[in-house]
Coordinates of all heavy atoms in Angstrom, one line a residue:
M141 N 14.4 8.8 -13.2 CA 14.5 8.6 -11.8 C 13.6 9.7 -11.2 O 13.5 10.8 -11.6 CB 15.9 8.6 -11.3 CG 16.8 7.6 -11.8 SD 16.3 5.9 -11.2 CE 16.8 5.9 -9.5
R142 N 13.0 9.2 -10.0 CA 12.1 10.2 -9.3 C 12.4 10.0 -7.8 O 12.7 9.0 -7.4 CB 10.6 9.8 -9.6 CG 9.7 10.8 -9.0 CD 8.3 10.4 -9.3 NE 7.4 11.4 -8.8 CZ 6.1 11.1 -8.7 NH1 5.6 10.1 -9.1 NH2 5.3 12.1 -8.1
S143 N 12.4 11.1 -7.1 CA 12.6 11.2 -5.6 C 11.5 12.1 -5.1 O 11.3 13.2 -5.5 CB 13.9 11.9 -5.3 OG 15.0 11.0 -5.8
V144 N 10.8 11.5 -4.1 CA 9.7 12.1 -3.5 C 9.7 12.0 -1.9 O 10.2 11.1 -1.4 CB 8.3 11.7 -4.0 CG1 8.1 11.9 -5.4 CG2 8.1 10.2 -3.7
R145 N 9.1 13.0 -1.2 CA 8.9 12.9 0.1 C 7.3 12.8 0.3 O 6.6 13.4 -0.4 CB 9.3 14.3 0.9 CG 9.0 14.4 2.4 CD 9.9 13.5 3.2 NE 11.3 13.7 3.1 CZ 11.9 14.5 3.9 NH1 11.4 15.3 4.9 NH2 13.3 14.6 3.8
V146 N 7.0 11.9 1.2 CA 5.5 11.5 1.2 C 5.1 11.6 2.8 O 5.8 11.2 3.7 CB 5.3 10.1 0.9 CG1 3.8 9.7 0.9 CG2 5.9 9.8 -0.6
T147 N 3.9 12.2 3.0 CA 3.3 12.2 4.3 C 1.9 11.5 4.2 O 1.1 12.0 3.3 CB 3.2 13.6 4.9 OG1 4.4 14.2 4.9 CG2 2.6 13.5 6.3
V148 N 1.8 10.5 5.0 CA 0.5 9.7 4.9 C -0.3 10.0 6.1 O 0.2 9.9 7.3 CB 0.8 8.2 4.8 CG1 -0.6 7.5 4.5 CG2 1.6 7.9 3.6
H149 N -1.6 10.5 5.9 CA -2.5 10.9 7.0 C -3.6 9.8 7.2 O -3.9 9.1 6.2 CB -3.2 12.2 6.7 CG -2.2 13.4 6.5 ND1 -1.9 14.2 7.5 CD2 -1.4 13.7 5.4 CE1 -1.0 15.1 7.1 NE2 -0.7 14.8 5.8
G150 N -4.2 9.7 8.3 CA -5.2 8.8 8.6 C -4.8 8.0 9.8 O -4.0 8.3 10.7
R151 N -5.5 6.7 9.9 CA -5.1 5.8 10.9 C -4.0 5.0 10.3 O -4.2 4.0 9.7 CB -6.3 5.0 11.4 CG -5.9 4.1 12.6 CD -7.1 3.4 13.0 NE -7.5 2.2 12.1 CZ -8.6 1.7 12.0 NH1 -9.6 2.0 12.9 NH2 -8.8 0.8 11.1
V152 N -2.7 5.4 10.5 CA -1.6 4.8 9.8 C -0.5 4.4 10.8 O 0.6 3.9 10.4 CB -1.0 5.7 8.8 CG1 -2.0 5.9 7.5 CG2 -0.6 7.1 9.3
Q153 N -0.7 4.5 12.1 CA 0.3 4.1 13.2 C -0.4 3.0 14.0 O -1.7 3.0 14.1 CB 0.7 5.3 14.1 CG 1.5 6.3 13.3 CD 2.2 7.3 14.3 OE1 2.1 7.1 15.4 NE2 2.8 8.3 13.6
G154 N 0.4 2.1 14.4 CA -0.1 0.9 15.1 C -0.8 -0.2 14.2 O -1.6 -1.1 14.8
V155 N -0.6 -0.1 12.9 CA -1.2 -1.1 12.0 C -0.2 -1.7 11.1 O -0.6 -2.4 10.0 CB -2.4 -0.5 11.2 CG1 -3.5 0.0 12.0 CG2 -1.8 0.8 10.3
G156 N 1.1 -1.5 11.4 CA 2.1 -2.2 10.6 C 2.5 -1.3 9.3 O 2.9 -2.0 8.3
F157 N 2.2 -0.2 9.3 CA 2.2 0.7 8.1 C 3.7 0.8 7.6 O 4.0 0.7 6.4 CB 1.7 2.1 8.3 CG 1.1 2.7 7.0 CD1 -0.1 2.6 6.5 CD2 2.1 3.4 6.2 CE1 -0.6 3.1 5.4 CE2 1.7 4.0 4.9 CZ 0.3 3.8 4.6
R158 N 4.6 1.0 8.5 CA 6.0 1.1 8.2 C 6.6 -0.1 7.5 O 7.3 -0.1 6.6 CB 6.8 1.5 9.4 CG 6.6 3.0 9.8 CD 7.4 3.3 11.1 NE 6.8 2.4 12.2 CZ 7.4 2.2 13.3 NH1 8.6 2.8 13.6 NH2 6.8 1.4 14.2
W159 N 6.2 -1.3 8.0 CA 6.7 -2.5 7.4 C 6.0 -2.8 6.1 O 6.7 -3.3 5.1 CB 6.4 -3.6 8.3 CG 7.3 -3.6 9.6 CD1 8.6 -4.1 9.7 CD2 7.1 -2.9 10.7 NE1 9.1 -3.8 10.9 CE2 8.2 -3.1 11.6 CE3 6.1 -2.1 11.2 CZ2 8.4 -2.5 12.8 CZ3 6.2 -1.6 12.6 CH2 7.4 -1.7 13.3
F160 N 4.7 -2.4 6.0 CA 4.0 -2.4 4.7 C 4.8 -1.5 3.7 O 5.0 -1.9 2.5 CB 2.6 -1.8 4.8 CG 1.8 -1.7 3.6 CD1 1.2 -2.9 3.1 CD2 1.6 -0.6 2.9 CE1 0.4 -2.8 1.9 CE2 0.8 -0.4 1.8 CZ 0.3 -1.6 1.3
V161 N 5.2 -0.3 4.0 CA 5.9 0.5 3.2 C 7.3 -0.1 2.7 O 7.7 -0.1 1.5 CB 6.1 2.0 3.7 CG1 7.0 2.8 2.8 CG2 4.8 2.7 4.0
Q162 N 8.0 -0.6 3.7 CA 9.3 -1.2 3.4 C 9.0 -2.4 2.4 O 9.9 -2.5 1.5 CB 9.9 -1.7 4.7 CG 11.3 -2.3 4.5 CD 12.0 -2.7 5.8 OE1 11.3 -3.4 6.6 NE2 13.2 -2.3 6.0
D163 N 8.2 -3.3 2.7 CA 7.8 -4.4 1.7 C 7.6 -3.9 0.3 O 8.0 -4.5 -0.6 CB 6.7 -5.2 2.3 CG 7.2 -6.1 3.6 OD1 8.3 -6.1 3.8 OD2 6.2 -6.6 4.3
A164 N 6.7 -2.8 0.2 CA 6.4 -2.4 -1.0 C 7.5 -1.9 -1.8 O 7.7 -2.0 -3.0 CB 5.1 -1.3 -0.9
A165 N 8.3 -1.0 -1.1 CA 9.5 -0.4 -1.6 C 10.5 -1.4 -2.2 O 11.0 -1.4 -3.3 CB 10.1 0.6 -0.7
Q166 N 10.8 -2.5 -1.4 CA 11.7 -3.4 -1.6 C 11.1 -4.3 -2.9 O 11.9 -4.6 -3.7 CB 12.0 -4.4 -0.5 CG 12.9 -3.6 0.6 CD 13.0 -4.4 1.7 OE1 12.3 -5.3 2.2 NE2 14.0 -4.0 2.6
A167 N 9.9 -4.5 -2.9 CA 9.3 -5.4 -4.0 C 9.5 -4.6 -5.3 O 9.5 -5.2 -6.3 CB 7.8 -5.6 -3.8
H168 N 9.5 -3.3 -5.3 CA 9.6 -2.5 -6.6 C 11.0 -1.9 -6.8 O 11.2 -1.1 -7.7 CB 8.6 -1.4 -6.6 CG 7.2 -1.9 -6.7 ND1 6.6 -2.3 -7.9 CD2 6.1 -2.2 -5.8 CE1 5.4 -2.7 -7.7 NE2 5.2 -2.7 -6.5
G169 N 11.9 -2.3 -5.9 CA 13.3 -1.8 -6.1 C 13.5 -0.3 -5.7 O 14.4 0.3 -6.4
V170 N 12.7 0.2 -4.9 CA 12.7 1.6 -4.5 C 13.5 1.8 -3.2 O 13.3 1.0 -2.3 CB 11.2 2.2 -4.4 CG1 11.3 3.6 -3.7 CG2 10.6 2.1 -5.7
A171 N 14.4 2.8 -3.3 CA 15.2 3.0 -2.1 C 14.6 4.1 -1.3 O 13.7 4.8 -1.7 CB 16.7 3.5 -2.5
G172 N 15.1 4.3 0.0 CA 14.6 5.4 0.9 C 14.5 5.0 2.3 O 15.1 4.0 2.8
W173 N 13.5 5.6 3.0 CA 13.2 5.4 4.4 C 11.7 5.6 4.6 O 11.1 6.3 3.9 CB 14.1 6.1 5.2 CG 14.2 7.6 4.9 CD1 15.1 8.3 4.2 CD2 13.3 8.6 5.5 NE1 14.8 9.7 4.2 CE2 13.7 9.8 4.9 CE3 12.1 8.6 6.2 CZ2 13.0 11.0 5.1 CZ3 11.4 9.8 6.5 CH2 11.9 11.0 5.9
V174 N 11.3 5.1 5.9 CA 10.1 5.5 6.4 C 10.1 5.7 7.9 O 10.9 5.0 8.6 CB 9.0 4.3 6.0 CG1 9.3 3.0 6.6 CG2 7.5 4.8 6.3
R175 N 9.2 6.5 8.5 CA 9.1 6.7 9.9 C 7.9 7.2 10.3 O 7.1 7.8 9.6 CB 10.2 7.6 10.4 CG 10.1 9.1 9.8 CD 11.3 9.8 10.3 NE 11.1 11.2 9.7 CZ 12.1 12.1 9.7 NH1 13.3 11.8 10.2 NH2 11.9 13.3 9.2
N176 N 7.5 6.9 11.7 CA 6.3 7.6 12.2 C 6.7 9.0 12.6 O 7.9 9.3 12.9 CB 5.9 6.8 13.6 CG 5.1 5.5 13.2 OD1 4.7 5.3 12.1 ND2 5.1 4.6 14.3
R177 N 5.7 9.9 12.6 CA 5.8 11.2 13.2 C 4.9 11.4 14.3 O 4.0 10.7 14.6 CB 5.4 12.1 12.0 CG 6.0 12.0 10.7 CD 7.0 13.1 10.3 NE 6.7 14.4 10.9 CZ 7.6 15.3 11.0 NH1 8.8 15.1 10.5 NH2 7.3 16.5 11.5
R178 N 5.4 12.2 15.2 CA 4.7 12.5 16.5 C 3.3 13.0 16.3 O 2.4 12.8 17.2 CB 5.5 13.3 17.4 CG 6.7 12.6 18.0 CD 7.5 13.6 19.0 NE 8.6 12.7 19.6 CZ 9.7 12.5 19.1 NH1 10.0 13.1 17.9 NH2 10.6 11.9 19.7
D179 N 3.0 13.5 15.2 CA 1.6 14.0 14.9 C 0.7 13.0 14.4 O -0.5 13.4 14.1 CB 1.7 15.2 13.9 CG 2.2 14.8 12.5 OD1 2.5 13.6 12.2 OD2 2.4 15.7 11.7
G180 N 1.2 11.7 14.5 CA 0.2 10.6 14.0 C 0.3 10.3 12.5 O -0.4 9.2 12.1
T181 N 1.1 10.9 11.8 CA 1.3 10.7 10.3 C 2.5 9.7 10.2 O 3.2 9.4 11.1 CB 1.5 11.9 9.5 OG1 2.7 12.5 10.0 CG2 0.4 12.9 9.6
V182 N 2.6 9.3 8.9 CA 3.8 8.4 8.6 C 4.5 9.2 7.4 O 3.9 9.7 6.5 CB 3.4 7.0 8.1 CG1 4.6 6.3 7.5 CG2 2.9 6.1 9.3
E183 N 5.7 9.4 7.5 CA 6.5 10.0 6.5 C 7.6 9.1 5.8 O 8.1 8.3 6.5 CB 7.3 11.2 7.3 CG 8.2 12.0 6.3 CD 8.9 13.1 7.0 OE1 9.4 12.8 8.3 OE2 9.0 14.2 6.5
A184 N 7.7 9.3 4.6 CA 8.6 8.4 3.8 C 9.4 9.2 2.7 O 8.8 10.3 2.2 CB 7.9 7.3 3.2
E185 N 10.5 8.7 2.4 CA 11.2 9.3 1.2 C 11.4 8.1 0.2 O 11.8 7.0 0.7 CB 12.5 9.8 1.6 CG 12.7 11.2 1.0 CD 14.0 12.0 1.3 OE1 15.0 11.5 1.0 OE2 13.9 13.1 2.0
L186 N 11.0 8.2 -1.1 CA 11.1 7.2 -2.0 C 12.1 7.6 -3.1 O 11.8 8.7 -3.7 CB 9.8 6.8 -2.6 CG 8.7 6.5 -1.5 CD1 7.4 6.4 -2.2 CD2 9.0 5.2 -0.7
H187 N 12.9 6.8 -3.6 CA 13.8 7.0 -4.7 C 13.9 5.9 -5.6 O 14.2 4.7 -5.2 CB 15.3 7.4 -4.2 CG 15.4 8.4 -3.1 ND1 15.2 9.7 -3.3 CD2 15.4 8.2 -1.7 CE1 15.3 10.3 -2.1 NE2 15.4 9.5 -1.2
G188 N 13.6 6.1 -7.0 CA 13.7 5.1 -7.9 C 13.2 5.5 -9.2 O 12.8 6.6 -9.5
A189 N 12.9 4.4 -10.0 CA 12.3 4.7 -11.4 C 11.0 5.3 -11.3 O 10.2 5.0 -10.3 CB 12.4 3.4 -12.2
D190 N 10.6 6.1 -12.2 CA 9.2 6.7 -12.1 C 8.1 5.7 -11.8 O 7.3 5.9 -10.9 CB 9.0 7.6 -13.3 CG 9.8 8.8 -13.5 OD1 10.5 9.2 -12.6 OD2 9.7 9.4 -14.6
A191 N 8.1 4.7 -12.7 CA 7.0 3.7 -12.6 C 6.9 3.0 -11.3 O 6.0 2.6 -10.7 CB 7.1 2.7 -13.8
D192 N 8.2 2.7 -10.7 CA 8.3 2.0 -9.5 C 7.9 2.9 -8.3 O 7.1 2.4 -7.4 CB 9.8 1.4 -9.3 CG 10.1 0.4 -10.2 OD1 9.3 -0.4 -10.6 OD2 11.3 0.4 -10.7
V193 N 8.3 4.1 -8.3 CA 8.0 5.0 -7.2 C 6.3 5.2 -7.3 O 5.7 5.2 -6.3 CB 8.6 6.3 -7.4 CG1 8.0 7.5 -6.5 CG2 10.2 6.2 -7.0
Q194 N 5.8 5.3 -8.5 CA 4.3 5.5 -8.6 C 3.6 4.3 -8.1 O 2.6 4.4 -7.5 CB 3.9 5.8 -10.0 CG 2.5 6.1 -10.2 CD 2.1 7.4 -9.4 OE1 2.7 8.4 -9.4 NE2 1.1 7.2 -8.5
A195 N 4.1 3.1 -8.3 CA 3.5 1.8 -7.9 C 3.4 1.8 -6.4 O 2.4 1.4 -5.8 CB 4.3 0.7 -8.4
V196 N 4.6 2.3 -5.7 CA 4.6 2.3 -4.2 C 3.6 3.4 -3.7 O 2.9 3.1 -2.8 CB 6.0 2.6 -3.7 CG1 6.1 2.8 -2.2 CG2 6.9 1.5 -4.1
L197 N 3.6 4.6 -4.4 CA 2.6 5.6 -4.0 C 1.2 5.1 -4.1 O 0.3 5.3 -3.2 CB 2.9 6.8 -4.8 CG 4.0 7.6 -4.6 CD1 4.1 8.7 -5.7 CD2 4.0 8.1 -3.3
D198 N 0.8 4.3 -5.2 CA -0.4 3.7 -5.3 C -0.8 2.7 -4.2 O -1.9 2.8 -3.6 CB -0.6 3.0 -6.6 CG -0.6 3.9 -7.8 OD1 -0.7 5.2 -7.7 OD2 -0.3 3.4 -8.9
L199 N 0.3 2.0 -3.7 CA 0.0 1.1 -2.5 C -0.2 1.8 -1.3 O -1.0 1.5 -0.4 CB 1.1 0.1 -2.5 CG 1.3 -1.0 -3.7 CD1 2.6 -1.7 -3.5 CD2 0.1 -1.9 -3.4
L200 N 0.6 2.9 -1.1 CA 0.4 3.7 0.1 C -1.0 4.3 0.3 O -1.4 4.5 1.3 CB 1.5 4.8 0.2 CG 2.9 4.4 0.1 CD1 3.8 5.6 0.4 CD2 3.2 3.4 1.3
A201 N -1.6 4.7 -0.9 CA -2.9 5.2 -0.7 C -4.0 4.2 -0.3 O -5.0 4.5 0.3 CB -3.3 5.7 -2.2
Q202 N -3.6 2.9 -0.5 CA -4.4 1.8 0.2 C -4.1 1.5 1.5 O -5.0 1.3 2.4 CB -4.4 0.6 -0.7 CG -4.8 0.9 -2.2 CD -4.4 -0.4 -3.0 OE1 -4.1 -1.5 -2.5 NE2 -4.4 -0.2 -4.4
G203 N -2.8 1.2 1.8 CA -2.3 1.0 3.1 C -2.6 -0.5 3.4 O -3.3 -1.3 2.7
P204 N -2.0 -1.0 4.5 CA -2.2 -2.4 4.9 C -3.6 -2.5 5.6 O -4.3 -1.5 5.8 CB -1.1 -2.6 6.0 CG -0.9 -1.3 6.5 CD -1.2 -0.3 5.5
A205 N -4.0 -3.8 5.8 CA -5.4 -4.2 6.6 C -5.2 -3.4 7.9 O -4.3 -3.4 8.6 CB -5.5 -5.6 6.6
G206 N -6.3 -2.7 8.3 CA -6.4 -2.1 9.4 C -6.1 -0.6 9.4 O -6.4 0.2 10.3
A207 N -5.6 -0.2 8.3 CA -5.2 1.3 8.1 C -6.3 2.0 7.5 O -7.1 1.3 6.7 CB -3.9 1.5 7.3
Q208 N -6.4 3.2 7.7 CA -7.5 4.0 6.9 C -6.7 5.3 6.5 O -6.6 6.3 7.3 CB -8.7 4.4 7.9 CG -9.6 3.3 8.2 CD -10.8 3.8 9.0 OE1 -10.7 4.4 9.9 NE2 -11.9 3.3 8.6
V209 N -6.3 5.3 5.2 CA -5.6 6.4 4.7 C -6.5 7.4 4.3 O -7.4 7.2 3.5 CB -4.7 5.9 3.5 CG1 -4.0 7.1 2.8 CG2 -3.7 4.9 4.0
T210 N -6.4 8.7 4.7 CA -7.3 9.8 4.4 C -6.6 10.7 3.3 O -7.2 11.5 2.6 CB -7.7 10.5 5.5 OG1 -6.6 11.1 6.3 CG2 -8.5 9.7 6.5
E211 N -5.2 10.7 3.4 CA -4.5 11.6 2.4 C -3.1 11.2 2.2 O -2.5 10.6 3.1 CB -4.4 13.1 3.0 CG -3.7 14.0 2.1 CD -3.6 15.4 2.8 OE1 -4.1 15.6 3.9 OE2 -3.0 16.3 2.1
V212 N -2.6 11.3 1.0 CA -1.1 11.0 0.7 C -0.6 12.3 0.2 O -0.9 12.6 -1.1 CB -1.0 9.8 -0.2 CG1 0.5 9.6 -0.5 CG2 -1.5 8.5 0.4
A213 N 0.1 13.1 0.9 CA 0.8 14.3 0.4 C 2.0 14.1 -0.2 O 3.0 13.4 0.5 CB 0.9 15.4 1.5
V214 N 2.4 14.4 -1.5 CA 3.6 14.1 -2.2 C 4.3 15.4 -2.5 O 3.6 16.2 -3.2 CB 3.4 13.2 -3.4 CG1 4.7 12.9 -4.0 CG2 2.6 11.9 -3.0
S215 N 5.6 15.5 -2.3 CA 6.4 16.6 -2.8 C 7.6 16.0 -3.3 O 8.1 15.0 -2.9 CB 6.6 17.6 -1.7 OG 7.3 17.1 -0.6
E216 N 8.3 16.8 -4.1 CA 9.6 16.4 -4.8 C 10.6 16.5 -3.7 O 10.6 17.3 -2.8 CB 10.0 17.2 -6.0 CG 8.9 17.1 -7.2 CD 8.7 15.6 -7.6 OE1 9.7 15.0 -7.9 OE2 7.6 15.2 -7.8
A217 N 11.6 15.6 -3.8 CA 12.7 15.6 -2.9 C 14.0 15.5 -3.6 O 14.2 15.2 -4.8 CB 12.6 14.3 -1.9
F218 N 15.1 15.8 -2.9 CA 16.5 15.7 -3.5 C 16.9 14.2 -3.7 O 16.6 13.4 -2.8 CB 17.6 16.3 -2.6 CG 17.4 17.8 -2.6 CD1 16.9 18.4 -1.4 CD2 17.7 18.7 -3.7 CE1 16.8 19.9 -1.4 CE2 17.6 20.0 -3.6 CZ 17.1 20.6 -2.6
P219 N 17.4 14.0 -4.8 CA 17.8 12.5 -5.0 C 18.8 12.0 -4.0 O 19.6 12.8 -3.5 CB 18.4 12.6 -6.4 CG 18.0 13.7 -7.1 CD 17.7 14.7 -6.0
A220 N 18.8 10.8 -3.6 CA 19.7 10.2 -2.7 C 20.5 9.1 -3.2 O 20.0 8.5 -4.2 CB 18.9 9.7 -1.4
S221 N 21.7 8.9 -2.7 CA 22.5 7.8 -3.2 C 22.4 6.5 -2.7 O 22.9 5.5 -2.9 CB 24.0 8.3 -3.1 OG 24.3 8.4 -1.8
S222 N 21.4 6.3 -1.6 CA 21.1 5.2 -0.9 C 20.5 4.2 -1.8 O 19.7 4.4 -2.8 CB 20.2 5.5 0.2 OG 19.8 4.2 0.8
S223 N 20.9 2.9 -1.7 CA 20.4 1.8 -2.5 C 19.4 0.9 -1.6 O 18.7 0.0 -2.3 CB 21.4 1.0 -3.0 OG 22.2 0.4 -2.1
G224 N 19.3 1.1 -0.4 CA 18.4 0.2 0.5 C 17.1 1.0 0.9 O 17.0 2.1 0.5
F225 N 16.5 0.4 1.8 CA 15.2 0.9 2.3 C 15.3 0.6 3.8 O 15.5 -0.5 4.3 CB 14.0 0.4 1.7 CG 12.8 1.3 2.0 CD1 12.5 2.3 1.1 CD2 12.1 1.2 3.2 CE1 11.4 3.2 1.4 CE2 11.0 2.0 3.4 CZ 10.7 3.1 2.5
E226 N 15.1 1.6 4.7 CA 15.1 1.5 6.1 C 13.9 2.0 6.8 O 13.3 2.9 6.4 CB 16.4 2.0 6.7 CG 16.5 3.6 6.6 CD 17.7 4.2 7.2 OE1 18.3 3.6 8.2 OE2 18.1 5.2 6.8
I227 N 13.6 1.4 8.0 CA 12.6 2.0 8.9 C 13.4 2.8 9.9 O 14.3 2.3 10.6 CB 11.8 0.9 9.5 CG1 11.1 0.1 8.5 CG2 11.0 1.5 10.7 CD1 10.3 -1.1 9.1
R228 N 13.1 4.1 10.1 CA 13.7 4.9 11.0 C 12.9 5.2 12.2 O 11.7 4.9 12.3 CB 14.0 6.3 10.4 CG 15.0 6.3 9.2 CD 15.3 7.6 8.8 NE 16.3 7.5 7.7 CZ 16.8 8.6 7.0 NH1 16.2 9.8 7.1 NH2 17.8 8.5 6.1
G229 N 13.5 5.7 13.3 CA 12.8 6.0 14.4 C 11.8 7.2 14.3 O 11.9 8.0 13.3
T230 N 10.9 7.4 15.2 CA 10.0 8.4 15.2 C 10.7 9.8 15.2 O 11.6 10.0 16.0 CB 9.0 8.2 16.4 OG1 8.4 7.0 16.3 CG2 8.0 9.3 16.4
A231 N 10.0 10.6 14.6 CA 10.6 12.0 14.5 C 9.5 13.0 15.1 O 8.4 12.8 15.0 CB 10.8 12.5 13.0

């Protein structure tokens, strides 16, 4: 199992990025959350099997149509007991 905190930089707000992340996570059985940040980035936490988390990270590097991802910063996070995936309010 792997747990990571992700910050995605670039043109990632106003292009459906949070829904894209939620769809990708649910398709791969990854739990966690995603939210916009006031600085224009998108932040997420992903919890799941190593290969599934990596698959979602690979998709985040591409982003949805209309997005321009310039950087995906990944750091390790504390494991969570949540089994679902949610879109949170802006932080």
Side-chain angles (χ1 to χ4, degrees):
M141 295 297 285
R142 184 174 181 198
S143 294
V144 296
R145 175 75 56 98
V146 183
T147 304
V148 186
H149 300 262
R151 189 175 67 199
V152 293
Q153 291 189 12
V155 294
F157 206 95
R158 291 173 295 163
W159 290 270
F160 175 82
V161 175
Q162 183 179 47
D163 289 346
Q166 290 174 338
H168 290 280
V170 172
W173 53 264
V174 64
R175 66 184 173 194
N176 283 341
R177 304 246 337 159
R178 287 185 174 83
D179 64 3
T181 62
V182 169
E183 180 181 37
E185 234 180 60
L186 308 171
H187 309 280
D190 291 350
D192 292 324
V193 169
Q194 188 59 54
V196 175
L197 290 173
D198 292 344
L199 289 168
L200 297 187
Q202 299 169 18
Q208 288 185 314
V209 177
T210 59
E211 179 186 358
V212 179
V214 180
S215 60
E216 297 304 311
F218 290 106
S221 59
S222 171
S223 61
F225 198 91
E226 67 177 332
I227 296 175
R228 293 186 174 176
T230 300

